[in-house]
Amino acid sequence: MNEPADRTPATDTEDGPRIKELRELAIHIATGAAEMAARMRHEGVAVAATKSSSTDVVTEADRATEQHIRELISRARPDDAILGEEGDSVSGTTGLTWVVDPIDGTVNYLYGIGSWAVSVAVVEGEPEPTSWRTLAGSVVAPRLSEVYSAGAGEGATLNGRPLRLEPHSGLSDSLVATGFGYESARRTAQGRVVAQLLGSVRDIRRMGSAALDLCAVAAGRVDAYYELGTKPWDHAAGALVAREAGAWVGGLKDDERESERMLVAANPGISKQLRAALRDAGA
Ligand code: IPD
């Protein structure tokens, strides 16, 4: 996950048309699914089950939206694999896997807070964040009227407008977003880390959607985001958007495998300082 964005536009390479097509499809699927999830929210929300803890809920809309996404993918690209938050993995024969989160920010969705999004990415290679290459992705937040997308080597956009980070240096005046897992012991440990980090940064934000946190880094709305233990579907599309906007995306240490444990996305001017501060804070 640590590779820097390839600034050669993919459209200039033989991979370009394929990436462009996949990006358009990701936008199409995420936009359609977001409309469906927003409509369902308007009609009322129903918790269908809980997962890792009593606060880790899955709504009827999570399930229905993921089913809709799976149908759209299977119709457009029947031979691709699918890895989704709410269902079994589907294997494929093309080497491409669609990594989908039907509603990232489920707790916000449940409470009627608008910061939730549908996240759709397509990756090449083993469907493992540390080894895959993300080709295209889209994060759509219907309540915020925001459509983010990116293609490998093609840059990132918000509502069609290119995103390009301005260099920022100085951790002490950086706004840092983070998130917490659903298990009590993990949250307690994460609380200790964030309490220590708070003294070294401008402020902390916990907005409730990893996908949107990564897009917020891309849009310069926060200077960095870090979180321990996010799932592949939480970050597949958002990490590409951040990287393509010029953010540094990786793990806590230089070892790539670490990014599976702790995901860090930051303005390149502060990535080293932030990672050092996180290590000092016991992350
Ligand atoms: C969660 C959100 C949250 C993050 C959690 C994720 P979900 O995803 O992205 O911001 O802190 O780690 O699990 O459950 O809403 O899909």
mmCIF file of all heavy atoms in Angstrom, residues 237-254:
data_model
loop_
_atom_site.group_PDB
_atom_site.id
_atom_site.type_symbol
_atom_site.label_atom_id
_atom_site.label_comp_id
_atom_site.label_asym_id
_atom_site.label_seq_id
_atom_site.Cartn_x
_atom_site.Cartn_y
_atom_site.Cartn_z
ATOM 1 N N ALA A 237 -11.420 1.931 -1.722
ATOM 2 C CA ALA A 237 -11.643 3.052 -2.652
ATOM 3 C C ALA A 237 -11.049 4.351 -2.096
ATOM 4 O O ALA A 237 -10.373 5.091 -2.823
ATOM 5 C CB ALA A 237 -13.138 3.228 -2.910
ATOM 6 N N GLY A 238 -11.278 4.616 -0.826
ATOM 7 C CA GLY A 238 -10.810 5.882 -0.238
ATOM 8 C C GLY A 238 -9.298 6.014 -0.261
ATOM 9 O O GLY A 238 -8.767 7.107 -0.478
ATOM 10 N N ALA A 239 -8.594 4.897 -0.053
ATOM 11 C CA ALA A 239 -7.120 4.973 -0.064
ATOM 12 C C ALA A 239 -6.616 5.354 -1.456
ATOM 13 O O ALA A 239 -5.656 6.117 -1.588
ATOM 14 C CB ALA A 239 -6.518 3.632 0.371
ATOM 15 N N LEU A 240 -7.289 4.865 -2.495
ATOM 16 C CA LEU A 240 -6.870 5.244 -3.857
ATOM 17 C C LEU A 240 -7.164 6.731 -4.098
ATOM 18 O O LEU A 240 -6.333 7.436 -4.687
ATOM 19 C CB LEU A 240 -7.590 4.379 -4.903
ATOM 20 C CG LEU A 240 -7.164 4.670 -6.346
ATOM 21 C CD1 LEU A 240 -5.709 4.260 -6.593
ATOM 22 C CD2 LEU A 240 -8.087 3.987 -7.352
ATOM 23 N N VAL A 241 -8.316 7.200 -3.645
ATOM 24 C CA VAL A 241 -8.653 8.618 -3.815
ATOM 25 C C VAL A 241 -7.577 9.476 -3.123
ATOM 26 O O VAL A 241 -7.061 10.438 -3.702
ATOM 27 C CB VAL A 241 -10.068 8.927 -3.251
ATOM 28 C CG1 VAL A 241 -10.342 10.427 -3.249
ATOM 29 C CG2 VAL A 241 -11.141 8.197 -4.067
ATOM 30 N N ALA A 242 -7.219 9.083 -1.886
ATOM 31 C CA ALA A 242 -6.211 9.861 -1.145
ATOM 32 C C ALA A 242 -4.860 9.827 -1.869
ATOM 33 O O ALA A 242 -4.221 10.866 -2.079
ATOM 34 C CB ALA A 242 -6.073 9.301 0.273
ATOM 35 N N ARG A 243 -4.443 8.639 -2.264
ATOM 36 C CA ARG A 243 -3.135 8.505 -2.911
ATOM 37 C C ARG A 243 -3.081 9.281 -4.219
ATOM 38 O O ARG A 243 -2.117 9.985 -4.514
ATOM 39 C CB ARG A 243 -2.835 7.021 -3.153
ATOM 40 C CG ARG A 243 -1.461 6.775 -3.741
ATOM 41 C CD ARG A 243 -1.188 5.310 -3.944
ATOM 42 N NE ARG A 243 -1.179 4.580 -2.692
ATOM 43 C CZ ARG A 243 -1.953 3.525 -2.430
ATOM 44 N NH1 ARG A 243 -2.802 3.075 -3.329
ATOM 45 N NH2 ARG A 243 -1.859 2.912 -1.275
ATOM 46 N N GLU A 244 -4.148 9.187 -4.980
ATOM 47 C CA GLU A 244 -4.170 9.859 -6.282
ATOM 48 C C GLU A 244 -4.257 11.377 -6.146
ATOM 49 O O GLU A 244 -3.937 12.106 -7.072
ATOM 50 C CB GLU A 244 -5.304 9.315 -7.146
ATOM 51 C CG GLU A 244 -5.029 7.920 -7.697
ATOM 52 C CD GLU A 244 -3.902 7.905 -8.726
ATOM 53 O OE1 GLU A 244 -3.761 8.897 -9.455
ATOM 54 O OE2 GLU A 244 -3.155 6.908 -8.788
ATOM 55 N N ALA A 245 -4.707 11.835 -4.981
ATOM 56 C CA ALA A 245 -4.715 13.287 -4.735
ATOM 57 C C ALA A 245 -3.351 13.764 -4.249
ATOM 58 O O ALA A 245 -3.140 14.953 -4.063
ATOM 59 C CB ALA A 245 -5.789 13.633 -3.711
ATOM 60 N N GLY A 246 -2.444 12.808 -4.019
ATOM 61 C CA GLY A 246 -1.091 13.174 -3.607
ATOM 62 C C GLY A 246 -0.780 12.882 -2.157
ATOM 63 O O GLY A 246 0.274 13.270 -1.650
ATOM 64 N N ALA A 247 -1.690 12.201 -1.458
ATOM 65 C CA ALA A 247 -1.422 11.872 -0.051
ATOM 66 C C ALA A 247 -0.453 10.692 0.052
ATOM 67 O O ALA A 247 -0.377 9.864 -0.859
ATOM 68 C CB ALA A 247 -2.734 11.519 0.654
ATOM 69 N N TRP A 248 0.237 10.645 1.165
ATOM 70 C CA TRP A 248 1.034 9.463 1.494
ATOM 71 C C TRP A 248 0.076 8.469 2.147
ATOM 72 O O TRP A 248 -0.671 8.820 3.058
ATOM 73 C CB TRP A 248 2.150 9.853 2.467
ATOM 74 C CG TRP A 248 3.090 8.721 2.756
ATOM 75 C CD1 TRP A 248 4.273 8.462 2.128
ATOM 76 C CD2 TRP A 248 2.902 7.691 3.738
ATOM 77 N NE1 TRP A 248 4.831 7.330 2.653
ATOM 78 C CE2 TRP A 248 4.029 6.825 3.635
ATOM 79 C CE3 TRP A 248 1.921 7.393 4.669
ATOM 80 C CZ2 TRP A 248 4.181 5.703 4.440
ATOM 81 C CZ3 TRP A 248 2.071 6.269 5.470
ATOM 82 C CH2 TRP A 248 3.189 5.444 5.340
ATOM 83 N N VAL A 249 0.092 7.227 1.655
ATOM 84 C CA VAL A 249 -0.794 6.206 2.234
ATOM 85 C C VAL A 249 0.028 4.969 2.547
ATOM 86 O O VAL A 249 0.740 4.449 1.676
ATOM 87 C CB VAL A 249 -1.940 5.824 1.259
ATOM 88 C CG1 VAL A 249 -2.865 4.786 1.894
ATOM 89 C CG2 VAL A 249 -2.750 7.052 0.856
ATOM 90 N N GLY A 250 -0.036 4.508 3.771
ATOM 91 C CA GLY A 250 0.735 3.319 4.121
ATOM 92 C C GLY A 250 0.453 2.915 5.551
ATOM 93 O O GLY A 250 -0.646 3.134 6.066
ATOM 94 N N GLY A 251 1.482 2.323 6.172
ATOM 95 C CA GLY A 251 1.312 1.833 7.530
ATOM 96 C C GLY A 251 2.118 2.636 8.524
ATOM 97 O O GLY A 251 2.663 3.688 8.210
ATOM 98 N N LEU A 252 2.227 2.077 9.725
ATOM 99 C CA LEU A 252 2.926 2.791 10.785
ATOM 100 C C LEU A 252 4.444 2.723 10.613
ATOM 101 O O LEU A 252 5.164 3.664 10.899
ATOM 102 C CB LEU A 252 2.517 2.159 12.125
ATOM 103 C CG LEU A 252 2.722 2.979 13.360
ATOM 104 C CD1 LEU A 252 2.100 4.352 13.208
ATOM 105 C CD2 LEU A 252 2.119 2.256 14.557
ATOM 106 N N LYS A 253 4.872 1.579 10.124
ATOM 107 C CA LYS A 253 6.306 1.415 9.908
ATOM 108 C C LYS A 253 6.543 1.319 8.412
ATOM 109 O O LYS A 253 5.596 1.281 7.636
ATOM 110 C CB LYS A 253 6.784 0.149 10.610
ATOM 111 C CG LYS A 253 6.512 0.214 12.096
ATOM 112 C CD LYS A 253 7.050 -0.990 12.807
ATOM 113 C CE LYS A 253 6.609 -0.941 14.271
ATOM 114 N NZ LYS A 253 6.209 -2.235 14.785
ATOM 115 N N ASP A 254 7.820 1.211 8.012
ATOM 116 C CA ASP A 254 8.080 1.166 6.580
ATOM 117 C C ASP A 254 7.710 -0.174 5.976
ATOM 118 O O ASP A 254 7.491 -0.283 4.781
ATOM 119 C CB ASP A 254 9.552 1.500 6.291
ATOM 120 C CG ASP A 254 9.773 2.991 6.541
ATOM 121 O OD1 ASP A 254 8.808 3.760 6.335
ATOM 122 O OD2 ASP A 254 10.867 3.367 6.955
#
